Amino acid sequence: MARPRSPTKDLPATLGGYKVSKPLFASALLVLDSILVALIIAYVPYTKIDWDAYMSQVDGFLGGERDYTKLKGDTGPLVYPAGFLYVYSAIKFLTGGEVFPAQILFGILYIINLGLIFFIYIKTDLLPWWALSFLCLSKRVHSIFILRLFNDCFAMTLLHASLALLFSQKWHLALIIFSGAVSIKMNVLLYAPPLFLLMLKALDVKGVFSVLLGAALVQIILGLPFLLTYPVEYISGAFNLGRVFIHFWSVNFKFVPEEIFVSKEFACALLVLHLTLLVVFANFRWSKNGLLHLLKSKVGDAFSISCESRVKTLDKEYIATVMFVGNFIGIVCARSLHYQFYSWYFYSLPFLLWKAPFPTPLRLVLFAGVELCWNVYPSNVYSSSSLLCVHLFVLLGVWIAPIGSEFVDRMPAERKEA
């Protein structure tokens, strides 16, 4: 099946009669954003939120403490896996725990992450060249990286690196880096269901088992100092999926009364909705013959006597679509989104908007609407309900979007030789 043509590809990629090179335009944006980052570091006051807590937790770790319940900061006990401690221990070593050099380090990280994002967008070739500039326009994301120094920045940079590796079918290395991202912050697990579906599509059962084993070994190795001493404290503290966030700080569902917001019933309802949406998208939008057919084929592969490893090459746009939409479903169904959580999906937002069959003016309005909602502080009933409405509208857009090819078509010469 031929991939449907994107509406943006029908537009001339020209400026003043000259053809615009996306890589060249992305390079120019990187330079301009680097200058902006330097100006922000130099002239915009840093806002202290979690940095002191991070450094306190790192000090406890470097001091020999391995009981996760005793690794604390002024915001409470440590709630991130072991990779977080290694990353911020390295940052403390490089910066001496000082904010200014750490901001420079995070500024470099911001540019590296942006470079990875440009690579993803150029390879998928979904957006027109000028729309790449939207990836540099978020006031909130600049703040998250450069003025807040959150661990979300490292987690998402590694996630984007993992996604870029998937484009080259480097499954083992991609899953190792993905696991490393999870070890810094667990929000990356929102990408796990769509990633697992991609593995089932591209790899045989042995291949799936092999890459999952590599990812699991990363978690074991990183957590080994804690697993050998206080395993229960580590697992319950670092992988606590039942945390309840404070209603005041949430950007979404602020219109829900607090007593309902913090209830288990509300959390369970959102979880059921999340899983249902994932299954529905996987069956009707991401699998040509349905999810059940895919699972049956994998069961058949498991009992096959063939020793030959079978790897299929997935289409790059398909990979990005499944990963970005799968994560976005988790965002829509998340009970609480704090301000730094915007980094979890901001970089996928232009992709989702151009994947949906919306007119370009509407895409621009929706993009601006999301950014505006995330810059209302503190969030209120109106900004929160508006954000949910925009999210649902974008989700509807990607649902009705044309279904592209799952796999890369072989060249005619390859078909002839086969």
Side-chain angles (χ1 to χ4, degrees):
M1 181 176 67
R3 184 166 70 181
R5 201 173 183 187
S6 169
T8 63
K9 294 172 186 173
D10 294 326
L11 300 175
T14 60
L15 179 63
Y18 295 95
K19 186 177 181 180
V20 178
S21 165
K22 284 187 181 180
L24 185 60
F25 184 67
S27 299
L29 289 175
L30 278 174
V31 172
L32 292 174
D33 213 348
S34 298
I35 296 172
L36 177 60
V37 166
L39 292 173
I40 292 173
I41 293 173
Y43 296 106
V44 180
Y46 164 77
T47 303
K48 185 180 295 185
I49 297 180
D50 284 343
W51 177 256
D52 287 345
Y54 291 171
M55 292 298 101
S56 296
Q57 292 157 356
V58 164
D59 285 340
F61 168 64
L62 295 177
E65 183 59 69
R66 297 297 179 264
D67 184 347
Y68 243 60
T69 62
K70 296 180 181 178
L71 292 174
K72 299 180 179 181
D74 55 14
T75 59
L78 179 58
V79 293
Y80 308 120
F84 162 85
L85 287 172
Y86 299 124
V87 168
Y88 277 84
S89 293
I91 293 174
K92 184 177 179 64
F93 174 78
L94 293 172
T95 66
E98 298 296 324
V99 168
F100 181 71
Q103 284 184 279
I104 296 174
L105 183 62
F106 272 79
I108 296 171
L109 179 69
Y110 173 89
I111 296 302
I112 292 173
N113 178 65
L114 186 59
L116 289 169
I117 287 296
F118 281 147
F119 174 83
I120 292 168
Y121 274 83
I122 290 170
K123 287 297 183 181
T124 54
D125 197 25
L126 183 64
L127 270 66
W129 62 269
W130 55 268
L132 294 177
S133 60
F134 290 116
L135 296 164
C136 307
L137 295 181
S138 175
K139 175 185 176 183
R140 178 62 64 185
V141 171
H142 279 92
S143 174
I144 291 169
F145 271 82
I146 305 161
L147 301 178
R148 303 296 190 271
L149 314 182
F150 287 123
N151 58 329
D152 307 71
C153 306
F154 276 94
M156 294 312 300
T157 300
L158 288 180
L159 182 277
H160 295 145
S162 175
L163 179 54
L165 286 167
L166 292 181
F167 285 2
S168 302
Q169 312 301 314
K170 306 290 186 182
W171 288 95
H172 284 86
L173 183 56
L175 264 291
I176 287 172
I177 293 179
F178 179 87
S179 186
V182 172
S183 77
I184 297 173
K185 192 159 187 174
M186 283 200 304
N187 70 282
V188 178
L189 287 176
L190 292 177
Y191 284 93
L195 178 57
F196 184 65
L197 176 67
L198 293 176
M199 286 189 285
L200 291 177
K201 294 272 187 179
L203 307 174
D204 57 19
V205 173
K206 293 179 182 178
V208 172
F209 178 79
S210 177
V211 297
L212 288 178
L213 179 61
L217 285 175
V218 170
Q219 293 299 322
I220 293 172
I221 292 171
L222 293 177
L224 202 58
F226 308 97
L227 293 171
L228 292 176
T229 51
Y230 297 92
V232 175
E233 289 81 358
Y234 174 66
I235 294 173
S236 62
F239 299 96
N240 181 6
L241 298 176
R243 292 171 60 203
V244 180
F245 292 97
I246 300 173
H247 180 260
F248 175 82
W249 293 111
S250 183
V251 178
N252 65 329
F253 292 117
K254 198 64 174 288
F255 54 88
V256 176
E258 185 171 1
E259 59 273 15
I260 298 177
F261 180 89
V262 300
S263 67
K264 289 184 178 180
E265 292 79 7
F266 186 56
C268 290
L270 290 174
L271 177 60
V272 170
L273 178 61
H274 183 189
L275 297 177
T276 301
L277 285 172
L278 285 173
V279 171
V280 170
F281 268 84
N283 187 68
F284 295 105
R285 308 306 296 173
W286 301 336
S287 300
K288 182 179 178 182
N289 298 312
L291 194 56
L292 188 59
H293 178 271
L294 174 64
L295 295 176
K296 285 182 178 179
S297 68
K298 291 303 169 183
V299 172
D301 287 345
F303 292 97
S304 173
I305 60 174
S306 175
C307 296
E308 182 182 356
S309 177
R310 293 182 292 275
V311 179
K312 297 180 180 179
T313 302
L314 294 173
D315 180 79
K316 294 180 178 64
E317 185 177 320
Y318 175 76
I319 292 173
T321 299
V322 173
M323 291 289 279
F324 284 156
V325 176
N327 176 68
F328 187 66
I329 290 172
I331 295 294
V332 173
C333 299
R335 174 165 54 167
S336 179
L337 293 175
H338 288 189
Y339 284 96
Q340 65 267 35
F341 298 0
Y342 189 28
S343 63
W344 297 2
Y345 78 106
F346 164 76
Y347 288 108
S348 67
L349 193 56
F351 184 95
L352 299 174
L353 290 172
W354 260 265
K355 186 69 179 177
F358 296 150
T360 296
L362 178 58
R363 291 169 176 148
L364 303 183
V365 170
L366 293 173
F367 180 86
V370 172
E371 179 70 17
L372 177 62
C373 290
W374 278 97
N375 281 282
V376 173
Y377 178 83
S379 62
N380 53 53
V381 171
Y382 304 106
S383 64
S384 181
S385 56
S386 298
L387 182 64
L388 178 61
C389 289
V390 175
H391 280 172
L392 292 175
F393 195 73
V394 174
L395 189 62
L396 175 63
V398 295
W399 170 261
I400 64 176
I403 302 175
S405 300
E406 297 178 8
F407 303 101
V408 173
D409 292 332
R410 292 185 297 174
M411 300 298 291
E414 292 178 331
R415 292 195 188 100
K416 187 175 181 180
E417 292 173 4

